[in-house]
Amino acid sequence: MSQRQTSYILMSVFLVCLPALVSAEQVTITGRVLGPDGQRVADCYVLARYNEAPNQRASVEARTDAAGTFSFNADVRGPYRRVTVAAHKPGLVVGWASGEPEEELTVKLSSDGVACMGTVSDPEGNPIHGVRVSISGLERQGENYYYYVRQRLSLGQQHLLTDTSDGQGRFEISDLPRGATVSLKAMAAGWAQVTYCDLPAGKHDIRLILQPDATISGRVTRNGRPVAGVSVTAEGEPTGFGRGRAISGEDGTYTIDALVPGAYYVVVHNPPEGLTARAITGIRLNAGDHFASADLQLVPGGLVTGRVTETQTGRPVAGAYVVGCGPPRPGLQRSRCYVTTDHDGNYTVRLPAGPAIVYYHQRSTDGTSAERPQPRRHWVEVKEGETVTGANFVVHALRLEGRVLGPDGQTAASVSVAAGAVVQHAKRWIDFFFGSTTDQQGQFDVAVSMPRQHQPPFVIVACADNQSLAGIAFVDEPNDPVEIRLGEGAYLLTEVIDTEGQPLANTPVRLCVMYQGLNGRIIPGLRTDAQGRLRIGPLPRGVQLRVMPADETALFALDPAVWDYEGVKLDPGEEYQLPPLQLNLEGRTIRGWAGDQDQRPVPGALIFATDTAHPAWADERGFFELRGVPLRDTVEVTAVHPTKPLFAATELDPDWGFEARFMLQPPGRATGRVCDDQGEPIVGATVRFRTSWDSLIVVNELLRRLGEAGYIWYTVTDQDGRWTVGGLAGGAQYYAVAFLPDAVRTSTRVDFTAQAGETIDLGEMVLKQ
């Protein structure tokens, strides 16, 4: 990172955070750090991360004392008060824990670490010396038995784990948790910052290819006069693959550097009180470009006011986030402004003049769910100096509440409760469970957020694991209190084996347990013992169970149908033996070659496949080997040039065994027209695009290249009802659907295969009621 960029970021963090600090709540964060032997670790670096404002993280650092304890103050603001504390000491694996500020946190360090290593080079393959490569985020499997937990650690600009590339461009970052996924960030003066997400900790062949950085500069003014100290943000389209921020100087000018090629929009971040600014969109940058006319004018704009209340009680929802998205393209959420409702549920948001969207976002300070607001959003026309009133929201808070009783009929405290359901989506079981713990009176209250494809009844499962007790209840009407009686639980037993029949020791397994054929839950915290055995429970007795592998486990199970039992009903204390679950954790392998249109190899080309978590990179001769492909069905495989908007995609069956050949070519385009059933054009309809990439974990490099070529997730029709979108990878499967903002009228889904370098006309998409 350049010295200029560093100073901008530091000044930006200070100025942006300053308003939040005034009204923030000062809390004390305390805890301890334990080593692999359970003993306290002295002189250990500790980092706390917390929310200081909506979408704004802050950090504070400390070191443990001689007793291995830490304590520091933080200014926490907003509904999300949870803090995450990370600790690291060289030679020990980094660890982290999350909790409320009042909790005394315990961070555990281990000695069973792995390292990520690889190389950094320019587009021609020349190694780059002196690049700082750091871990910007980690994620690991949680151990909560009753609902799915992915424990995330976002490090932001804090370089807790870092290395600098040597003369051959090599880097190595150690002390990473085994089995975790990491996000890597590479920064160097004069080069665009690159981030790779969701790579497996322990990957040894990472290729980071840097390009000369691009910049965006301009001037911030008010009535023609410069305004200093204003934070300006550049965001990459379509999904923020590139990002930068700067602070305007005394003459109002700013420069955002270290940007990767692609399409950008520029907004004023946290504008001065009483002012706003219209976003600048459609900035397209190639490597090394310098866009110097992103001038922003601060204006009073207009106001949108409204109130948020609950459906059931009519009471106001205080502390809820409401988001306003202003022109020029509000449907794509530009010029976003976050505000919170007051004690009476009222809010006021300031936006530039023009079309805008206001919508209810996330949840309030008391946990009210944001799943079912009515209406979903307000489309308004903001006028300079005027106020739009009546943009109200009614929130249907889905709550599952009640109490848990023990076998003796007495209230049961500190019992784990999981509420929600599991639904099948895109051939996979997706977990929508939310957890809670009973209080001293045995009461629980869970706010749930369910997908639209799920309908009641909901399921609530209670478990006192240390007493081998479990209970279950089905709820047709949310918000109606329910009572769960615990009884002696039962267990399922099985063995997890590999393709040779050998036990898989210490292996995480995800299973879905369905209750009464209607509701279920994915049990994510399961891990085999040293003999590959699995003991699942305690489970509620007396209800019909169906057990099957879920998600990643299902994708790599050799024969999940043999293991799919339905109608099992367990007696109290019973231990039901299931047949072995056989997994091929290596999955299938796809080998091939990636080159350009002149038949020359493309070293560093990124290769990935549907439902395959981790990508592969082509070697110096263009050959690649993509491992970990799921065991069943065909997959869509995509190849992406490391620095240019060139793509190739195809659908194939890895079991065929032949080598795939990819000729990377320019992207294609699609166009069409949206009309009503009378053939009249519909202006302002949204056309949305989706692909099989939606189910992938690693797509950031693909999005970067697609954005550079003009791809966006959705667009809006013009005066003739027409639309056009570019950046479509040739050979990839897409579908498009059109709808109006109120979602009352939608079109049928149109599936198509993009053609490299060509424009496909999808014809008319008719909106019907």
Side-chain angles (χ1 to χ4, degrees):
M1 181 185 293
S2 66
Q3 183 177 3
R4 173 181 57 182
Q5 186 184 15
T6 303
S7 62
Y8 282 153
I9 289 176
L10 292 175
M11 189 183 301
S12 171
V13 170
F14 174 75
L15 292 175
V16 170
C17 292
L18 188 58
L21 295 178
V22 175
S23 58
E25 172 193 4
Q26 189 171 77
V27 299
T28 300
I29 303 171
T30 61
R32 58 180 183 169
V33 179
L34 303 181
D37 54 1
Q39 300 300 309
R40 302 195 178 198
V41 181
D43 194 30
C44 178
Y45 173 81
V46 182
L47 171 72
R49 298 273 289 164
Y50 56 92
N51 286 320
E52 198 171 44
N55 280 7
Q56 187 171 299
R57 300 282 285 173
S59 304
V60 61
E61 304 174 31
R63 300 194 78 86
T64 57
D65 58 20
T69 62
F70 59 84
S71 175
F72 35 50
N73 296 324
D75 295 291
V76 178
R77 178 188 178 190
Y80 305 99
R81 300 179 68 253
R82 289 184 68 83
V83 298
T84 300
V85 175
H88 178 238
K89 192 167 188 177
L92 295 177
V93 177
V94 64
W96 67 95
S98 298
E100 296 293 324
E102 295 79 8
E103 298 179 33
E104 184 174 352
L105 298 176
T106 298
V107 183
K108 298 179 181 179
L109 308 183
S110 69
S111 57
D112 185 23
V114 293
C116 277
M117 59 186 70
T119 59
V120 185
S121 65
D122 63 16
E124 285 70 43
N126 302 310
I128 304 178
H129 172 261
V131 177
R132 178 158 61 174
V133 182
S134 60
I135 301 293
S136 60
L138 296 104
E139 187 174 284
R140 66 189 176 197
Q141 175 72 55
E143 297 179 354
N144 193 301
Y145 178 78
Y146 263 88
Y147 51 98
Y148 183 53
V149 176
R150 292 294 292 179
Q151 297 174 343
R152 296 180 176 88
L153 172 64
S154 175
L155 293 172
Q157 298 295 329
Q158 304 297 319
H159 304 296
L160 180 64
L161 299 161
T162 187
D163 190 26
T164 302
S165 61
D166 61 17
Q168 286 72 48
R170 297 174 301 194
F171 67 90
E172 179 177 346
I173 302 177
S174 305
D175 300 339
L176 301 175
R178 187 178 299 275
T181 58
V182 302
S183 296
L184 281 178
K185 180 185 296 183
M187 297 176 292
W191 298 95
Q193 177 178 294
V194 170
T195 301
Y196 278 77
C197 299
D198 299 302
L199 297 173
K203 191 171 181 61
H204 290 177
D205 59 348
I206 300 171
R207 298 173 63 100
L208 301 177
I209 300 177
L210 306 189
Q211 300 183 76
D213 72 337
T215 65
I216 295 176
S217 60
R219 193 165 178 255
V220 182
T221 60
R222 169 77 172 111
N223 294 327
R225 297 181 178 179
V227 181
V230 176
S231 176
V232 180
T233 299
E235 293 275 356
E237 300 185 80
T239 56
F241 56 81
R243 181 179 291 116
R245 184 175 296 174
I247 301 294
S248 60
E250 292 298 324
D251 58 355
T253 62
Y254 70 90
T255 298
I256 303 173
D257 59 5
L259 297 175
V260 298
Y264 287 86
Y265 66 94
V266 176
V267 295
V268 172
H269 180 78
N270 197 15
E273 185 175 356
L275 297 174
T276 184
R278 185 183 179 93
I280 301 174
T281 62
I283 300 175
R284 299 196 177 277
L285 300 175
N286 295 317
D289 281 355
H290 303 285
F291 186 89
S293 57
D295 296 332
L296 296 158
Q297 298 180 12
L298 297 175
V299 295
L303 301 178
V304 180
T305 65
R307 192 165 186 255
V308 181
T309 57
E310 275 196 2
T311 303
Q312 297 87 340
T313 64
R315 71 178 179 88
V317 179
Y321 287 151
V322 176
V323 183
C325 304
R329 285 186 287 167
L332 300 184
Q333 300 188 8
R334 305 298 175 250
S335 302
R336 283 178 292 185
C337 178
Y338 290 80
V339 296
T340 55
T341 56
D342 61 19
H343 292 294
D344 296 321
N346 297 316
Y347 73 89
T348 299
V349 59
R350 184 180 300 275
L351 295 169
I357 298 176
V358 179
Y359 64 92
Y360 179 79
H361 179 64
Q362 296 180 355
R363 63 182 61 184
S364 70
T365 51
D366 63 0
T368 301
S369 173
E371 173 62 19
R372 303 175 188 271
Q374 293 294 330
R376 294 175 58 194
R377 59 179 68 88
H378 287 281
W379 286 77
V380 297
E381 185 71 27
V382 179
K383 295 183 179 180
E384 187 72 27
E386 298 185 10
T387 300
V388 178
T389 61
N392 302 323
F393 297 95
V394 179
V395 181
H396 181 62
L398 292 180
R399 288 184 178 276
L400 300 176
E401 55 187 348
R403 65 173 180 167
V404 178
L405 303 178
D408 55 1
Q410 301 299 310
T411 56
S414 302
V415 173
S416 297
V417 176
V422 168
V423 298
Q424 189 172 17
H425 177 68
K427 301 180 181 180
R428 302 178 69 181
W429 294 102
I430 307 298
D431 194 358
F432 289 96
F433 263 75
F434 300 82
S436 180
T437 303
T438 58
D439 60 19
Q440 292 303 311
Q441 287 73 44
Q443 301 288 334
F444 65 87
D445 183 354
V446 185
V448 299
S449 179
M450 301 301 300
R452 293 185 182 86
Q453 56 264 50
H454 176 76
Q455 301 296 328
F458 300 95
V459 64
I460 307 176
V461 184
C463 171
D465 189 29
N466 57 345
Q467 303 176 55
S468 298
L469 300 176
I472 191 169
F474 297 92
V475 181
D476 289 312
E477 293 296 331
N479 308 293
D480 287 348
V482 63
E483 187 173 276
I484 301 177
R485 176 69 69 94
L486 296 177
E488 186 179 3
Y491 292 85
L492 296 173
L493 307 178
T494 189
E495 182 184 16
V496 182
I497 59 177
D498 62 16
T499 56
E500 303 297 327
Q502 299 301 311
L504 289 170
N506 195 33
T507 301
V509 177
R510 296 198 71 201
L511 303 177
C512 177
V513 178
M514 304 290 289
Y515 303 100
Q516 304 292 83
L518 297 172
N519 306 77
R521 61 190 175 97
I522 293 176
I523 307 179
L526 298 176
R527 185 178 290 271
T528 60
D529 62 15
Q531 287 73 43
R533 296 172 303 194
L534 206 60
R535 189 168 186 259
I536 310 161
L539 296 171
R541 72 282 178 212
V543 295
Q544 288 189 349
L545 303 178
R546 181 185 178 198
V547 188
M548 67 216 77
D551 292 356
E552 292 86 354
T553 301
L555 293 174
F556 295 94
L558 289 181
D559 191 355
V562 173
W563 211 75
D564 188 348
Y565 276 74
E566 189 169 3
V568 176
K569 185 179 290 187
L570 301 176
D571 295 325
E574 181 180 1
E575 295 191 345
Y576 189 94
Q577 183 70 48
L578 296 171
L581 173 61
Q582 193 169 26
L583 301 178
N584 178 4
L585 299 180
E586 295 295 324
R588 295 182 291 181
T589 299
I590 297 174
R591 297 176 178 85
W593 180 86
D596 60 20
Q597 297 180 75
D598 297 324
Q599 300 290 324
R600 294 175 300 189
V602 179
L606 182 70
I607 317 292
F608 59 88
T610 309
D611 288 326
T612 303
H614 307 302
W617 285 272
D619 62 19
E620 298 302 324
R621 300 179 300 157
F623 291 101
F624 66 86
E625 186 175 89
L626 180 63
R627 300 180 179 180
V629 180
L631 301 184
R632 288 166 298 284
D633 301 329
T634 60
V635 295
E636 187 167 89
V637 186
T638 304
V640 185
H641 195 283
T643 59
K644 301 176 182 178
L646 301 175
F647 317 91
T650 188
E651 189 175 62
L652 57 83
D653 187 341
D655 292 332
W656 292 348
F658 64 83
E659 289 193 347
R661 290 183 64 86
F662 290 102
M663 306 298 295
L664 304 184
Q665 302 179 69
R669 294 161 59 89
T671 187
R673 181 174 180 266
V674 179
C675 61
D676 60 22
D677 50 12
Q678 303 299 318
E680 295 297 320
I682 295 181
V683 181
T686 299
V687 183
R688 178 178 293 167
F689 303 88
R690 287 292 184 266
T691 85
S692 62
W693 298 322
D694 291 348
S695 63
L696 291 173
I697 298 176
V698 181
V699 296
N700 57 317
E701 285 302 298
L702 171 65
L703 290 176
R704 182 178 300 165
R705 298 283 86 77
L706 292 175
E708 183 180 349
Y711 179 68
I712 53 178
W713 289 120
Y714 40 89
T715 187
V716 178
T717 57
D718 62 17
Q719 296 297 319
D720 298 319
R722 297 205 62 86
W723 58 270
T724 300
V725 66
L728 305 178
Q733 306 291 322
Y734 292 85
Y735 73 83
V737 63
F739 58 92
L740 286 176
D742 56 11
V744 173
R745 288 188 290 172
T746 60
S747 73
T748 57
R749 167 173 160 168
V750 179
D751 293 88
F752 65 99
T753 301
Q755 302 297 319
E758 299 182 8
T759 300
I760 298 177
D761 193 336
L762 299 185
E764 292 187 344
M765 304 172 70
V766 181
L767 295 190
K768 298 181 179 181
Q769 290 290 128

